[in-house]
Amino acid sequence: MSDKVIIFDTTLRDGEQCPGASMNLREKMEVARQLARLNIDVIEAGFPVISDGDFEAVSKIATEIKGPVICGLARCIAKDIDAAGAAIKAAGERGRIHTFISTSKIQVENQLKKQVDDVIPIAVECVRRARTFVKDVEFSPMDATRTDPEFLVRLLNAVIEAGATTLNIPDTVGYTVPEQYAELIGYLRANVRNADDVIFSVHCHNDLGLATANSLAAVRAGARQVEGTINGIGERAGNAALEEVVMALKMRNDYYGGVTTGINTKEIVKASRLVSRMSGLMVQRSKAIVGENAFAHGSGIHQDGILKKRETYEIIDPRDVGWGETELPLTKHSGRHAVAKRLEHLGYFLNEKELGSVFVRFKEIGDKKKFVYDDDLSVLVDDSIDAHLEGYTLDYIHVASGSSTIPTATVRLKRGEEILQDSSPGNGAVDAAMKTIDRILNQQGHLVEYNVQAVTQGKDALGEVTLKCDFGGGPLVTGKGASTDVIEASARAYLNAVNRVLSNKTQGQAAPASDAP
Ligand code: KIV
Ligand code: ZN
């Protein structure tokens, strides 16, 4: 059996299914580029049949991202397979189709309205169809951990014969526990015909907080592909956090029989921050590996030990996962070239127009704060590009508020040559700013979630606002905005959400489909 564990990232598919985490095309491309720098083996780029936007993202990733295998997801339905095959075409030999169908009695009988045995010919037919597009076909019996293992063996034998090369065993509802999952993987490897000619893969959800533990137990039992997401984002409690799986395999290589991954671990923290910003999902401070506090030692005894010898209380060198890699900050005197170079270093390859927008914001911020740090720059990229691509930009905002005044905002928006201005009172400065934007655009957004976070330290730090809005009917929309003034940051974030709705309409992006797995 190979010593290499294939790392399969589904941040852009299962991760993006998390409510309010949907990303636009630019954000997906940025995440995909960072996944390539991480040296991820397989990127599941999306579910092409679900919307034009997903199809476009998968095709663009297949065209532009070099290195990893690019995978498109498909139900066991002909039109899904055809869409996935077309979307990944540009990846050529690096293209993979991942097709799945429910196999547990509870899902097959209640959702598919079939009997479990009916699933075998459907799966075989779909794997065969997928093989007409690519040699690399992954098959998932959905809800495998609640499926009869003997039935799984019959089904897997049939799909291998039809041409499946990777067999993924999903713990779709996060039901299994480590010993039981390892037993299942061991049983399947022992009983499926030609098991050594295929890769057994695992895909764990975190409903019981066991996704990482289950994935690792499966590796001990012979799984050689682990699926998961950066920061563990995903439906409900999320998927296995790949940074945890990768670092556990690296640090406890002794226990896991010398297996290796090809991951460039120094890129982990950057990937985590990027995904957090792009998805609008914060990383909890105490999150393993990538949380702000993951390497912060509070107790005096620990600090003393660390100072004497780091390994006394730290099992991972923080630099190995990319902590502490910050460069000298830029200032308002830094030129466009220096900003472009630093952005490239951070993984942003912007065209001239985009760079121009970021540079304008950089100068504005540089006038307000002494140093512009790498994290500030990353936030400015989000803050400036999307608004300039499609929709409205904030031209001016004035808010009057205080303990004995009715908070009132005046806002001026620009879209091309069009200039729109109005004012409105509100229940506070932020509310007034958002109500004014609603009034100008003749809409009514409902704020579902609102977070403000200082991007760096210090009183002059940029405040980054991340919010989720309901504009009626569709999915929740995330908006992000940054400024040294949190009211302005809030207005920018709200406008960013509005612009995303506009751009989704023009890109024909659908709501996350109800039949998404
Ligand atoms: O959780 C799940 O079962 C899935 C499949 C599509 C692999 O995401
Ligand atoms: Zn899943």
Side-chain angles (χ1 to χ4, degrees), residues 409-431:
T410 303
V411 173
R412 191 162 66 221
L413 303 182
K414 250 174 135 178
R415 191 190 199 190
E417 297 300 303
E418 190 184 11
I419 294 187
L420 303 160
Q421 179 170 327
D422 212 331
S423 51
S424 168
N427 270 330
V430 169
D431 186 49

Side-chain angles (χ1 to χ4, degrees), residues 8 10 13-14 17 44 47 73-74 98-101 107 138-144 168-174 203-205 227 235-236 239 516-517:
F8 177 111
T10 182
R13 199 278 297 169
D14 223 344
Q17 272 171 223
E44 186 161 63
F47 195 172
L73 184 70
H98 175 192
T99 184
F100 70 96
I101 188 165
Q107 289 192 355
E138 173 167 335
F139 173 76
S140 286
M142 186 153 83
D143 205 12
N168 185 38
I169 311 300
D171 184 29
T172 305
V173 293
H203 175 111
C204 297
H205 280 269
E227 303 194 355
E235 292 243 57
R236 310 181 308 278
N239 289 61

